[in-house]
Amino acid sequence: MSNLADGVFKVALPLVAVGFTRSPALIAGLTFAMTLPWLLFALPAGALVDRLDRRQAMVTANVARAVLLAALALALVAGANSIWALYVVALCIGVAETVYDTSAQSILPQMVPRDQLSRANGRLYAAELTANEFVGPPLGGVLVTAGAATALATPAGLWVIAAGALLLVRGPFRVPRAHPTSLRSDIAEGVRFLWRHRVLRTLAIMTGVFNFASNAVFAIFVLYAVGPTSAMQLSEPAYGALLTTVAAGSVTGSLAAGWIERRLGRARSLAVAFLGGGVLLGAPGLTAEPLGIAAAFFVGGVSIVVANVIVVSLRQAITPDRLLGRVNSGYRLFAWGSRPLGAATGGLLAEFVGLRPVFGIMAALTVALLVGLRVVTDSAMDAAERDVEHR
């Protein structure tokens, strides 16, 4: 339910904003506002997650997101049609997201044996992506045609349902602490662990660069795809349906990740995944044909999730439970903190050079990440896991 809300919201927000402005910079600015908290609040969120009961933190974050979005829907009904209101709510929801997502990723090793993490992450990604990418985007496109307030009130209700479901999960999910520490020292300890671990550090940088590129593309893609003057000339529902091809690939990738990892090995799987990411980002620069772009989006969806399952499972397996929230948030500072920078860069580049060149530039940047696999080898990942076993 939470990921379904995310899927509806991320499509509905820019579609609502297009009704206020056609400026690439202002439209991309919404993605910037929604993702900026990963740059500003990721580290404090991780430290809090390691101090709090992780399930309760997830409940609180979802309730906060629901209240914020319900207030925005009421404001739109009252006639407050301002894009700046969208910016404020996008920023606040992004702050709540840092707490929710860090908690959700950190709680899994408390529920699943570490040797089953790849399997568990694959199944979890399948459920999340079906809602977030496959069902949410077309639903968001349809809801916008029913009215902006309806499109925004729906994810608010879904977040409330998700919070209620989390209350049914029994058991404490607070990691015991041997002695009291300051928030600052907690943050520093997590950052040191991540930065001193060569494999994790390299993967964080690679993921951050890819997220920079993908957010530069998708922050402006709505202008390329939607409206009678756009290159693709899609309607809002058709735009949502197009994005589900990424979801279809993602679900396929989540179910096939284990098989692909066993057949190719982790390093080769990551190489194929980054090549697929280049296909995803570069396709709109080559064609405006919806079927061609849909095929590229499917390939990209498979690639992204295969990489995510491998990387997240590795990080969970080699990080101590007491540090997992902080290491996850530190990783996401690199990996997700680049998203607002990418969105801003994509919007500004599009203002000066147009939409198509942005797609080509970001695809080339993604393919260049293959150089990082000189560090992230199968032997290096295996050695990191053996180090944990010998502690």
Side-chain angles (χ1 to χ4, degrees):
M1 291 299 100
S2 183
N3 279 273
L4 181 58
D6 290 342
V8 171
F9 178 67
K10 74 179 181 182
V11 169
L13 191 68
L15 289 176
V16 170
V18 166
F20 301 154
T21 179
R22 296 291 298 187
S23 165
L26 286 176
I27 296 297
L30 281 171
T31 302
F32 177 86
M34 203 183 323
T35 55
L36 182 61
W38 284 105
L39 190 61
L40 301 180
F41 299 109
L43 294 179
L48 287 172
V49 165
D50 283 342
R51 289 166 172 258
L52 304 174
D53 184 296
R54 290 164 177 169
R55 179 185 66 96
Q56 293 177 1
M58 293 166 71
V59 171
T60 302
N62 265 357
V63 170
R65 290 195 284 188
V67 170
L68 285 164
L69 212 50
L72 178 61
L74 290 174
L76 293 178
V77 169
N81 296 329
S82 168
I83 193 169
W84 303 115
L86 303 186
Y87 269 75
V88 171
V89 170
L91 180 66
C92 293
I93 285 180
V95 172
E97 183 184 53
T98 64
V99 175
Y100 182 89
D101 285 5
T102 302
S103 300
Q105 203 165 84
S106 302
I107 201 173
L108 188 63
Q110 294 177 276
M111 307 175 74
V112 178
R114 289 185 182 248
D115 61 353
Q116 295 293 316
L117 283 173
S118 287
R119 184 181 183 191
N121 278 310
R123 293 186 176 185
L124 190 60
Y125 270 116
E128 291 178 350
L129 290 165
T130 297
N132 195 326
E133 306 286 350
F134 196 69
V135 180
L139 179 58
V142 170
L143 288 170
V144 168
T145 65
T150 301
L152 297 177
T154 299
L158 292 169
W159 275 319
V160 169
I161 295 172
L166 281 166
L167 293 175
L168 301 176
V169 179
R170 299 300 178 189
F173 294 98
R174 184 195 298 267
V175 178
R177 300 175 66 85
H179 51 82
T181 56
S182 68
L183 197 66
R184 182 176 179 178
S185 65
D186 282 354
I187 292 171
E189 184 182 15
V191 171
R192 280 196 303 269
F193 181 91
L194 174 62
W195 190 250
R196 291 173 180 174
H197 201 295
R198 192 178 184 214
V199 170
L200 287 182
R201 181 178 72 238
T202 303
L203 285 170
I205 294 170
M206 292 172 67
T207 307
V209 174
F210 174 74
N211 284 340
F212 173 91
S214 61
N215 276 263
V217 167
F218 283 101
I220 59 172
F221 183 66
V222 65
L223 296 172
Y224 185 77
V226 178
T229 62
S230 68
M232 297 181 70
Q233 299 184 359
L234 298 180
S235 65
E236 286 87 350
Y239 172 71
L242 176 63
L243 295 183
T244 64
T245 58
V246 180
S250 298
V251 173
T252 302
S254 66
L255 298 175
W259 180 84
I260 293 172
E261 181 181 334
R262 289 191 299 272
R263 292 299 295 265
L264 299 181
R266 287 186 285 193
R268 285 197 185 112
S269 298
L270 289 172
V272 171
F274 280 104
L275 287 172
V279 171
L280 166 71
L281 302 184
L286 300 175
T287 179
E289 172 58 43
L291 290 179
I293 292 177
F297 279 13
F298 180 88
V299 170
V302 173
S303 301
I304 290 169
V305 174
V306 168
N308 281 343
V309 169
I310 292 171
V311 172
V312 171
S313 299
L314 177 69
R315 189 165 75 246
Q316 291 170 336
I318 65 181
T319 304
D321 280 340
R322 66 181 186 83
L323 286 173
L324 194 52
R326 284 166 280 171
V327 171
N328 280 336
S329 65
Y331 187 95
R332 288 186 170 187
L333 176 65
F334 289 100
W336 289 21
S338 62
R339 293 163 66 190
L341 304 179
T345 300
L348 292 173
L349 274 177
E351 289 276 8
F352 291 105
V353 302
L355 299 176
R356 283 182 183 267
V358 176
F359 304 143
I361 292 168
M362 297 306 161
L365 183 60
T366 297
V367 173
L369 292 173
L370 293 175
V371 70
L373 295 180
R374 297 179 66 182
V375 173
V376 186
T377 61
D378 284 324
S379 60
M381 289 185 274
D382 292 342
E385 291 177 331
R386 285 196 299 272
D387 288 344
V388 174
E389 294 172 1
H390 295 154
R391 281 175 191 164

